[in-house]
Amino acid sequence: MRVLGIDCGTERTGYGVIDSDGRAHGIVAAGTIRTSPRDPLPVRLAGIARGLREVLAEHTPEEAAVEEVFHSVNAKSALKLAHVRGVALLLIAEAGLPCAEYSPLSVKQSVVGFGRAEKEQVQFMVRGILGPSAPVKEPDACDALAVALCHAMRRVWAKVAAS
Amino acid sequence: MRVLGIDCGTERTGYGVIDSDGRAHGIVAAGTIRTSPRDPLPVRLAGIARGLREVLAEHTPEEAAVEEVFHSVNAKSALKLAHVRGVALLLIAEAGLPCAEYSPLSVKQSVVGFGRAEKEQVQFMVRGILGPSAPVKEPDACDALAVALCHAMRRVWAKVAAS
Protein backbone atom coordinates (compact mmCIF):
# COMPACT_ATOMS: atom_id res chain seq x y z
CA MET A 1 0.00 0.00 0.00
CA ARG A 2 1.29 3.46 -0.91
CA VAL A 3 0.45 6.17 1.63
CA LEU A 4 0.76 9.95 1.35
CA GLY A 5 1.17 11.84 4.63
CA ILE A 6 0.77 15.62 4.70
CA ASP A 7 1.88 18.06 7.37
CA CYS A 8 0.00 21.28 6.58
CA GLY A 9 1.42 24.76 7.11
CA THR A 10 1.05 28.17 5.45
CA GLU A 11 4.81 28.69 5.12
CA ARG A 12 5.94 25.09 4.77
CA THR A 13 3.78 22.09 3.93
CA GLY A 14 5.58 18.77 4.32
CA TYR A 15 4.72 15.65 2.35
CA GLY A 16 5.93 12.09 2.67
CA VAL A 17 5.09 9.06 0.53
CA ILE A 18 5.82 5.54 1.78
CA ASP A 19 5.26 2.00 0.55
CA SER A 20 4.18 -0.33 3.30
CA ASP A 21 2.94 -3.89 3.74
CA GLY A 22 2.15 -3.00 7.35
CA ARG A 23 5.37 -4.48 8.74
CA ALA A 24 8.10 -3.22 6.41
CA HIS A 25 7.97 0.42 5.35
CA GLY A 26 10.00 2.08 2.58
CA ILE A 27 10.33 5.74 1.71
CA VAL A 28 9.22 6.73 -1.81
CA ALA A 29 9.48 10.52 -1.62
CA ALA A 30 9.46 13.31 0.91
CA GLY A 31 9.86 17.04 0.77
CA THR A 32 8.63 20.49 1.64
CA ILE A 33 6.42 22.86 -0.35
CA ARG A 34 7.39 26.42 0.56
CA THR A 35 5.44 29.64 0.04
CA SER A 36 6.51 33.24 0.37
CA PRO A 37 5.17 35.24 3.36
CA ARG A 38 5.09 38.23 0.99
CA ASP A 39 2.34 36.64 -1.12
CA PRO A 40 -1.34 36.98 -0.19
CA LEU A 41 -3.01 33.84 1.20
CA PRO A 42 -4.86 32.88 -2.05
CA VAL A 43 -1.57 32.88 -4.00
CA ARG A 44 0.11 30.81 -1.28
CA LEU A 45 -2.75 28.30 -1.32
CA ALA A 46 -2.43 28.02 -5.12
CA GLY A 47 1.30 27.30 -4.71
CA ILE A 48 0.62 24.58 -2.13
CA ALA A 49 -2.06 23.06 -4.39
CA ARG A 50 0.35 23.03 -7.35
CA GLY A 51 2.98 21.25 -5.26
CA LEU A 52 0.57 18.67 -3.86
CA ARG A 53 -0.92 17.95 -7.30
CA GLU A 54 2.61 17.21 -8.58
CA VAL A 55 3.23 14.80 -5.69
CA LEU A 56 -0.11 13.04 -6.29
CA ALA A 57 0.53 12.73 -10.05
CA GLU A 58 4.15 11.59 -9.74
CA HIS A 59 3.84 9.11 -6.87
CA THR A 60 0.18 7.97 -7.21
CA PRO A 61 -0.53 7.14 -3.55
CA GLU A 62 -3.53 4.92 -2.77
CA GLU A 63 -4.45 6.43 0.59
CA ALA A 64 -3.76 9.69 2.38
CA ALA A 65 -3.41 10.80 6.00
CA VAL A 66 -3.29 14.24 7.58
CA GLU A 67 -3.02 15.53 11.13
CA GLU A 68 -6.11 16.87 12.84
CA VAL A 69 -6.12 20.59 13.54
CA PHE A 70 -6.74 21.86 17.03
CA HIS A 71 -8.16 25.06 18.47
CA SER A 72 -4.61 25.71 19.67
CA VAL A 73 -3.41 28.45 21.99
CA ASN A 74 -2.92 30.63 18.94
CA ALA A 75 -6.39 30.75 17.35
CA LYS A 76 -5.16 32.88 14.44
CA SER A 77 -2.52 30.32 13.39
CA ALA A 78 -5.03 27.48 13.74
CA LEU A 79 -7.42 29.32 11.40
CA LYS A 80 -4.67 29.91 8.81
CA LEU A 81 -3.63 26.28 9.05
CA ALA A 82 -7.24 25.19 8.49
CA HIS A 83 -7.24 27.07 5.15
CA VAL A 84 -4.24 25.00 3.98
CA ARG A 85 -5.82 21.85 5.36
CA GLY A 86 -8.99 22.60 3.36
CA VAL A 87 -6.88 22.73 0.19
CA ALA A 88 -5.09 19.47 1.07
CA LEU A 89 -8.37 17.64 1.80
CA LEU A 90 -9.86 18.95 -1.46
CA LEU A 91 -6.96 17.61 -3.54
CA ILE A 92 -7.08 14.25 -1.75
CA ALA A 93 -10.81 13.97 -2.49
CA GLU A 94 -10.35 15.07 -6.11
CA ALA A 95 -7.64 12.41 -6.53
CA GLY A 96 -10.20 9.87 -5.31
CA LEU A 97 -8.14 8.79 -2.28
CA PRO A 98 -9.59 7.77 1.09
CA CYS A 99 -8.32 10.16 3.74
CA ALA A 100 -7.61 9.37 7.40
CA GLU A 101 -7.06 11.95 10.12
CA TYR A 102 -4.95 11.49 13.25
CA SER A 103 -4.29 13.64 16.28
CA PRO A 104 -0.64 14.63 16.90
CA LEU A 105 -0.89 12.42 20.00
CA SER A 106 -1.91 9.37 17.93
CA VAL A 107 0.94 9.96 15.48
CA LYS A 108 3.54 10.07 18.27
CA GLN A 109 1.97 7.11 20.02
CA SER A 110 2.16 5.02 16.83
CA VAL A 111 5.65 6.02 15.72
CA VAL A 112 7.50 6.52 19.03
CA GLY A 113 5.34 4.56 21.47
CA PHE A 114 4.08 7.39 23.64
CA GLY A 115 2.03 10.47 22.87
CA ARG A 116 4.14 13.07 24.65
CA ALA A 117 7.29 12.32 22.65
CA GLU A 118 9.57 15.21 21.68
CA LYS A 119 10.04 16.25 18.04
CA GLU A 120 13.58 14.84 18.06
CA GLN A 121 12.35 11.45 19.21
CA VAL A 122 9.88 11.36 16.31
CA GLN A 123 12.67 12.23 13.86
CA PHE A 124 14.91 9.56 15.41
CA MET A 125 12.21 6.89 15.03
CA VAL A 126 11.27 7.96 11.48
CA ARG A 127 14.90 7.53 10.46
CA GLY A 128 15.12 4.26 12.41
CA ILE A 129 12.11 2.86 10.54
CA LEU A 130 12.68 4.32 7.06
CA GLY A 131 16.49 4.38 6.97
CA PRO A 132 19.04 7.11 6.38
CA SER A 133 17.30 8.53 3.30
CA ALA A 134 14.51 9.94 5.53
CA PRO A 135 15.05 13.72 5.49
CA VAL A 136 15.17 14.25 9.26
CA LYS A 137 16.67 17.71 8.78
CA GLU A 138 13.45 18.81 7.06
CA PRO A 139 11.10 18.80 10.05
CA ASP A 140 7.91 19.22 8.01
CA ALA A 141 8.76 16.40 5.58
CA CYS A 142 9.69 14.25 8.56
CA ASP A 143 6.38 15.00 10.31
CA ALA A 144 4.55 14.11 7.11
CA LEU A 145 6.38 10.76 6.98
CA ALA A 146 5.40 10.17 10.62
CA VAL A 147 1.72 10.72 9.73
CA ALA A 148 2.03 8.29 6.79
CA LEU A 149 3.73 5.70 9.05
CA CYS A 150 1.04 6.14 11.71
CA HIS A 151 -1.61 5.37 9.09
CA ALA A 152 0.22 2.32 7.71
CA MET A 153 0.76 0.90 11.23
CA ARG A 154 -2.76 1.56 12.46
CA ARG A 155 -4.27 -0.12 9.42
CA VAL A 156 -2.40 -3.33 10.26
CA TRP A 157 -3.31 -3.11 13.95
CA ALA A 158 -6.93 -2.63 12.97
CA LYS A 159 -6.70 -5.75 10.78
CA VAL A 160 -5.02 -7.76 13.55
CA ALA A 161 -7.64 -6.66 16.06
CA ALA A 162 -10.40 -7.67 13.65
CA SER A 163 -8.94 -11.09 12.79
CA MET B 1 -17.05 45.40 -13.35
CA ARG B 2 -18.35 41.92 -12.55
CA VAL B 3 -17.90 40.86 -8.92
CA LEU B 4 -18.30 37.45 -7.29
CA GLY B 5 -19.15 37.44 -3.58
CA ILE B 6 -18.89 34.22 -1.58
CA ASP B 7 -20.39 33.41 1.81
CA CYS B 8 -18.53 30.29 2.96
CA GLY B 9 -20.12 27.50 4.99
CA THR B 10 -19.66 23.73 5.31
CA GLU B 11 -23.37 23.00 4.84
CA ARG B 12 -24.34 25.90 2.60
CA THR B 13 -21.99 28.14 0.63
CA GLY B 14 -23.71 31.15 -0.90
CA TYR B 15 -22.53 32.89 -4.06
CA GLY B 16 -23.64 36.09 -5.71
CA VAL B 17 -22.46 37.66 -8.96
CA ILE B 18 -23.22 41.30 -9.73
CA ASP B 19 -22.41 43.77 -12.49
CA SER B 20 -21.59 47.21 -11.17
CA ASP B 21 -20.30 50.54 -12.42
CA GLY B 22 -19.97 51.61 -8.79
CA ARG B 23 -23.29 53.50 -8.75
CA ALA B 24 -25.76 51.12 -10.42
CA HIS B 25 -25.63 47.46 -9.50
CA GLY B 26 -27.36 44.56 -11.29
CA ILE B 27 -27.70 40.95 -10.25
CA VAL B 28 -26.21 38.37 -12.63
CA ALA B 29 -26.62 35.18 -10.59
CA ALA B 30 -26.99 34.04 -7.02
CA GLY B 31 -27.49 30.72 -5.32
CA THR B 32 -26.47 28.22 -2.70
CA ILE B 33 -24.13 25.25 -2.96
CA ARG B 34 -25.33 22.58 -0.52
CA THR B 35 -23.43 19.62 0.89
CA SER B 36 -24.63 16.63 2.87
CA PRO B 37 -23.71 16.45 6.59
CA ARG B 38 -23.46 12.68 6.06
CA ASP B 39 -20.43 13.08 3.77
CA PRO B 40 -16.91 13.36 5.18
CA LEU B 41 -15.32 16.83 4.99
CA PRO B 42 -13.05 16.09 1.94
CA VAL B 43 -16.08 15.01 -0.11
CA ARG B 44 -18.02 18.11 0.96
CA LEU B 45 -15.07 20.35 0.02
CA ALA B 46 -14.94 18.69 -3.41
CA GLY B 47 -18.67 19.40 -3.86
CA ILE B 48 -18.20 23.05 -2.93
CA ALA B 49 -15.22 23.32 -5.31
CA ARG B 50 -17.26 21.81 -8.15
CA GLY B 51 -20.06 24.30 -7.57
CA LEU B 52 -17.76 27.31 -7.36
CA ARG B 53 -15.84 26.25 -10.50
CA GLU B 54 -19.16 26.15 -12.39
CA VAL B 55 -20.06 29.65 -11.18
CA LEU B 56 -16.61 30.97 -12.19
CA ALA B 57 -16.77 29.34 -15.64
CA GLU B 58 -20.37 30.36 -16.38
CA HIS B 59 -20.33 33.95 -15.13
CA THR B 60 -16.63 34.90 -15.55
CA PRO B 61 -16.36 37.46 -12.74
CA GLU B 62 -13.41 39.87 -12.83
CA GLU B 63 -12.93 40.28 -9.09
CA ALA B 64 -13.93 38.34 -6.00
CA ALA B 65 -14.75 39.18 -2.40
CA VAL B 66 -15.16 36.98 0.68
CA GLU B 67 -15.90 37.63 4.33
CA GLU B 68 -13.08 37.42 6.85
CA VAL B 69 -13.28 34.56 9.30
CA PHE B 70 -13.13 35.22 13.02
CA HIS B 71 -12.03 33.20 16.03
CA SER B 72 -15.68 33.13 16.96
CA VAL B 73 -17.25 31.88 20.16
CA ASN B 74 -17.44 28.45 18.56
CA ALA B 75 -13.82 27.65 17.70
CA LYS B 76 -14.73 24.33 16.11
CA SER B 77 -17.15 25.93 13.61
CA ALA B 78 -14.62 28.65 12.80
CA LEU B 79 -12.03 25.97 12.00
CA LYS B 80 -14.45 24.07 9.73
CA LEU B 81 -15.40 27.31 8.01
CA ALA B 82 -11.71 28.08 7.42
CA HIS B 83 -11.38 24.79 5.48
CA VAL B 84 -14.14 25.91 3.09
CA ARG B 85 -12.62 29.36 2.89
CA GLY B 86 -9.26 27.81 1.92
CA VAL B 87 -10.98 26.05 -0.98
CA ALA B 88 -12.76 29.26 -2.07
CA LEU B 89 -9.53 31.32 -1.96
CA LEU B 90 -7.71 28.59 -3.92
CA LEU B 91 -10.30 28.62 -6.72
CA ILE B 92 -10.28 32.42 -6.86
CA ALA B 93 -6.48 32.42 -7.18
CA GLU B 94 -6.54 29.64 -9.79
CA ALA B 95 -9.09 31.64 -11.82
CA GLY B 96 -6.62 34.55 -11.72
CA LEU B 97 -9.00 36.92 -9.90
CA PRO B 98 -7.95 39.54 -7.36
CA CYS B 99 -9.59 38.76 -4.05
CA ALA B 100 -10.71 41.24 -1.40
CA GLU B 101 -11.66 40.35 2.18
CA TYR B 102 -14.11 42.25 4.37
CA SER B 103 -15.19 41.88 7.96
CA PRO B 104 -18.93 41.23 8.54
CA LEU B 105 -18.97 44.70 10.13
CA SER B 106 -17.63 46.33 6.95
CA VAL B 107 -20.19 44.50 4.80
CA LYS B 108 -23.09 45.71 6.94
CA GLN B 109 -21.64 49.20 7.15
CA SER B 110 -21.37 49.41 3.34
CA VAL B 111 -24.73 47.89 2.48
CA VAL B 112 -26.97 49.06 5.34
CA GLY B 113 -25.07 52.03 6.71
CA PHE B 114 -24.19 50.69 10.13
CA GLY B 115 -22.14 47.71 11.26
CA ARG B 116 -24.52 46.30 13.84
CA ALA B 117 -27.41 45.85 11.37
CA GLU B 118 -29.64 42.79 11.71
CA LYS B 119 -29.69 40.05 9.04
CA GLU B 120 -33.18 41.17 7.94
CA GLN B 121 -31.97 44.73 7.38
CA VAL B 122 -29.18 43.43 5.16
CA GLN B 123 -31.68 41.36 3.14
CA PHE B 124 -33.99 44.38 2.87
CA MET B 125 -31.18 46.57 1.54
CA VAL B 126 -29.86 43.91 -0.87
CA ARG B 127 -33.33 43.64 -2.40
CA GLY B 128 -33.66 47.43 -2.38
CA ILE B 129 -30.41 47.82 -4.32
CA LEU B 130 -30.63 44.79 -6.64
CA GLY B 131 -34.36 44.59 -7.15
CA PRO B 132 -36.95 41.85 -6.59
CA SER B 133 -34.89 39.13 -8.30
CA ALA B 134 -32.45 39.12 -5.36
CA PRO B 135 -33.08 35.80 -3.56
CA VAL B 136 -33.67 37.22 -0.08
CA LYS B 137 -35.21 33.95 1.05
CA GLU B 138 -31.86 32.23 0.53
CA PRO B 139 -29.88 33.81 3.37
CA ASP B 140 -26.47 32.52 2.21
CA ALA B 141 -26.94 33.72 -1.38
CA CYS B 142 -28.16 37.04 -0.01
CA ASP B 143 -25.11 37.37 2.25
CA ALA B 144 -22.87 36.60 -0.73
CA LEU B 145 -24.58 39.37 -2.74
CA ALA B 146 -24.01 41.74 0.21
CA VAL B 147 -20.27 40.94 0.16
CA ALA B 148 -20.16 41.56 -3.61
CA LEU B 149 -22.03 44.87 -3.18
CA CYS B 150 -19.70 45.91 -0.36
CA HIS B 151 -16.73 45.34 -2.68
CA ALA B 152 -18.29 47.24 -5.59
CA MET B 153 -19.19 50.21 -3.36
CA ARG B 154 -15.86 50.37 -1.55
CA ARG B 155 -13.95 50.34 -4.83
CA VAL B 156 -15.80 53.48 -5.93
CA TRP B 157 -15.33 55.17 -2.59
CA ALA B 158 -11.63 54.38 -2.74
CA LYS B 159 -11.51 55.96 -6.22
CA VAL B 160 -13.43 59.05 -5.07
CA ALA B 161 -11.16 59.43 -2.06
CA ALA B 162 -8.09 59.19 -4.29
CA SER B 163 -9.30 61.64 -6.97
Side-chain angles (χ1 to χ4, degrees):
Chain A
M1 177 184 51
R2 182 162 286 191
V3 182
L4 165 65
I6 304 176
D7 180 48
C8 295
T10 21
E11 284 194 29
R12 293 182 310 275
T13 288
Y15 65 88
V17 185
I18 61 167
D19 275 335
S20 169
D21 64 5
R23 279 182 205 87
H25 316 279
I27 186 169
V28 176
T32 311
I33 301 161
R34 288 162 204 279
T35 67
S36 164
R38 283 190 304 273
D39 284 334
L41 186 56
V43 174
R44 299 175 81 171
L45 294 174
I48 293 166
R50 200 161 43 240
L52 286 178
R53 278 203 193 97
E54 279 173 18
V55 171
L56 285 160
E58 192 176 339
H59 303 293
T60 58
E62 292 153 282
E63 302 195 0
V66 294
E67 265 193 14
E68 285 169 3
V69 64
F70 282 97
H71 355 298
S72 72
V73 189
N74 188 337
K76 214 175 158 186
S77 318
L79 278 181
K80 258 193 168 177
L81 184 66
H83 283 72
V84 179
R85 211 167 166 277
V87 167
L89 296 184
L90 170 70
L91 298 190
I92 290 167
E94 289 188 336
L97 308 186
C99 180
E101 305 183 30
Y102 299 99
S103 68
L105 200 102
S106 302
V107 173
K108 288 175 180 175
Q109 226 151 23
S110 304
V111 176
V112 183
F114 56 104
R116 303 281 168 212
E118 298 292 329
K119 243 179 163 38
E120 291 72 26
Q121 291 174 291
V122 175
Q123 291 168 8
F124 181 82
M125 284 306 289
V126 166
R127 174 166 282 195
I129 297 166
L130 293 174
S133 62
V136 285
K137 284 192 181 149
E138 279 189 60
D140 306 279
C142 191
D143 284 350
L145 286 169
V147 178
L149 279 171
C150 166
H151 181 64
M153 288 165 167
R154 297 223 155 200
R155 275 185 106 253
V156 174
W157 295 340
K159 264 191 207 163
V160 171
S163 66
Chain B
M1 177 184 50
R2 182 163 286 191
V3 181
L4 164 65
I6 304 176
D7 180 48
C8 295
T10 20
E11 285 194 28
R12 294 182 309 276
T13 288
Y15 65 88
V17 184
I18 61 166
D19 275 336
S20 169
D21 64 4
R23 279 184 206 87
H25 316 278
I27 187 169
V28 176
T32 310
I33 302 161
R34 286 163 207 279
T35 67
S36 165
R38 282 190 305 273
D39 284 333
L41 186 55
V43 173
R44 298 175 81 170
L45 294 174
I48 294 166
R50 202 160 40 240
L52 286 179
R53 278 202 193 100
E54 279 172 20
V55 171
L56 285 161
E58 191 176 339
H59 303 294
T60 58
E62 293 153 282
E63 301 194 2
V66 293
E67 265 193 16
E68 285 168 5
V69 63
F70 282 97
H71 355 299
S72 73
V73 189
N74 189 337
K76 213 174 158 186
S77 318
L79 277 182
K80 257 194 169 178
L81 184 66
H83 283 71
V84 180
R85 210 167 168 276
V87 167
L89 295 184
L90 170 69
L91 298 189
I92 290 167
E94 290 188 336
L97 308 186
C99 180
E101 306 183 30
Y102 300 98
S103 69
L105 199 104
S106 302
V107 173
K108 289 175 179 174
Q109 227 152 21
S110 304
V111 176
V112 183
F114 57 103
R116 303 281 168 211
E118 298 292 328
K119 245 181 161 36
E120 292 72 26
Q121 292 175 291
V122 175
Q123 292 168 8
F124 181 82
M125 284 306 290
V126 166
R127 174 166 283 195
I129 296 166
L130 292 174
S133 62
V136 285
K137 283 191 183 152
E138 278 188 61
D140 306 279
C142 191
D143 283 350
L145 286 169
V147 178
L149 279 171
C150 165
H151 181 64
M153 289 164 166
R154 297 222 156 200
R155 276 185 106 251
V156 174
W157 294 339
K159 264 192 206 161
V160 171
S163 66

